[in-house]
Amino acid sequence: MEYPSIGTSDLKLSAITFGAWAAGGWMWGGNEEKDAIQAIRAAYDHGVTSIDTAPAYGQGASERIVGKAIRELPRDKVQILTKYGLRWDTTKGVFHFKSKDNQGQDINMHKYAGREGIIKEVEDSLRLLGTDYIDLYQIHWPDTSTPIAETMDTVSDLIRQGKVRHAGVCNYDATQMEEAAKHINLVSDQVPYSMIKRGIEKELVPYCIENRKSILAYSPMERGVLSGKIHPGHVFAAGDHRAGLFYFKDENLTRIQRFLDSIQPIADEKGVSLSQLVLRWTLAQPGITVLLCGARNATQAISNAKAIELSLSESEVSSITEHLNELRLNPDA
């Protein structure tokens, strides 16, 4: 495993970090707690020491499961990343979207990162995670109803209190990051990035490289579509949010599969899975520091961790990119 430094801080994360959204079940058609715990522990045994979660993932379920999974692990060898500012239990802030919790009850998600909200959330997270500090605390989504200064000043207070070690953001653009950095030592931005979703390359990546901020890429497998295991006609479990997404429409699944078939020979030559090849290419892109990889079970977690063992030459990365550039998928079309 590789352990890059995050931003200019002394925080080091595993290059493959365990993404625990699906562990909470919410929007993924449910979960098996036992499998999620085994996946986290298997990942740790293979060098994945960092775990990313959030209160919203199962409305506390993911954080609780992560807490159980790491209970017997040495705390100083595990890096906990969690978030704040995506609420289902208040109408403050900005309405984000309608959803259902794991019990099928309607909930409304709001983006809210006011001072008193953050103070409540950090205490809830510490309790559920069973720890007295969070290694990287990140705003989940920009909250336009709260000044960035108020949000970041509050997190600065939490750092001084020892409850938080480092501050990051999620889903911020370069302008928002620049404003946040005036109020706190911001080390990272967690954003969606994959072979077929590369919009951040235009502005955010250059900003982060120039200002020495790390990019934590979430959904590098584009919610599983780049594994090559989801084909036209696939039926998702009830509550699985992927069913209506652009990339999972039959015509796009067909086009994506055509691309994956074109790079399959490289995976075969290397003796790795297609998923491992996809992950390694993604990590090789400029400005990308860490990949957040979800896993439903220990087998998937181990496969993700072993992607780091793959070595790709510059020419191999370029060859994959050439095939990719022929795909031309536009989710905004």
Side-chain angles (χ1 to χ4, degrees), residues 62-224:
S62 177
E63 287 187 324
R64 177 179 53 78
I65 289 170
V66 169
K68 283 187 176 182
I70 66 171
R71 189 173 297 161
E72 298 175 6
L73 300 178
R75 179 65 184 89
D76 63 341
K77 303 297 184 184
V78 177
Q79 301 83 47
I80 297 176
L81 293 61
T82 194
K83 309 179 186 77
Y84 61 92
L86 182 56
R87 303 283 295 273
W88 63 96
D89 56 348
T90 183
T91 57
K92 292 182 178 180
V94 180
F95 174 76
H96 194 21
F97 62 94
K98 292 181 177 294
S99 185
K100 291 183 182 294
D101 63 18
N102 286 343
Q103 288 71 48
Q105 300 299 310
D106 291 334
I107 52 176
N108 292 325
M109 308 302 297
H110 287 77
K111 295 181 284 188
Y112 179 60
R115 180 176 178 81
E116 86 287 353
I118 298 172
I119 292 171
K120 174 191 183 300
E121 287 200 79
V122 75
E123 297 299 338
D124 289 345
S125 290
L126 291 171
R127 174 176 49 80
L128 288 169
L129 290 163
T131 186
D132 57 3
Y133 69 93
I134 293 162
D135 295 276
L136 181 62
Y137 205 37
Q138 309 156 102
I139 185 171
H140 206 146
W141 286 92
D143 167 25
T144 56
S145 72
T146 304
I148 289 177
E150 176 183 336
T151 298
M152 297 304 153
D153 287 346
T154 303
V155 177
S156 292
D157 289 344
L158 297 178
I159 291 174
R160 283 190 287 270
Q161 294 166 20
K163 295 177 180 179
V164 169
R165 295 284 174 87
H166 302 279
V169 295
C170 302
N171 303 300
Y172 265 38
D173 61 25
T175 300
Q176 291 163 330
M177 285 193 75
E178 188 172 28
E179 175 61 26
K182 296 175 183 177
H183 306 279
I184 201 166
N185 179 23
L186 199 65
V187 301
S188 61
D189 191 6
Q190 182 181 143
V191 288
Y193 181 75
S194 72
M195 280 182 157
I196 53 178
K197 185 180 288 184
R198 297 166 60 188
I200 65 169
E201 293 177 352
K202 183 177 180 181
E203 294 181 359
L204 185 65
V205 168
Y207 170 85
C208 287
I209 291 174
E210 180 180 353
N211 292 277
R212 301 177 67 188
K213 310 295 183 186
S214 290
I215 293 176
L216 315 184
Y218 71 80
S219 297
M221 295 299 299
E222 203 53 57
R223 294 171 166 81

Side-chain angles (χ1 to χ4, degrees), residues 307-321:
I308 209 72
E309 299 173 6
L310 170 61
S311 177
L312 290 177
S313 67
E314 288 186 13
S315 62
E316 288 168 332
V317 171
S318 296
S319 175
I320 293 170
T321 305

Side-chain angles (χ1 to χ4, degrees), residues 242-261:
R242 294 176 293 176
L245 296 183
F246 170 84
Y247 295 110
F248 294 88
K249 294 179 179 178
D250 283 356
E251 62 269 27
N252 293 328
L253 287 172
T254 299
R255 296 173 67 190
I256 291 168
Q257 189 60 53
R258 193 178 303 127
F259 157 68
L260 293 175
D261 289 343

Side-chain angles (χ1 to χ4, degrees), residues 7-54:
T8 58
S9 74
D10 59 0
L11 175 64
K12 293 181 182 293
L13 302 180
S14 49
I16 301 294
T17 285
F18 192 97
W21 178 9
W26 178 61
M27 296 180 70
W28 288 91
N31 75 313
E32 290 292 336
E33 181 173 314
K34 175 174 62 68
D35 290 344
I37 291 174
Q38 290 177 350
I40 292 170
R41 290 179 176 168
Y44 178 83
D45 289 341
H46 286 79
V48 177
T49 60
S50 310
I51 307 167
D52 178 82
T53 182

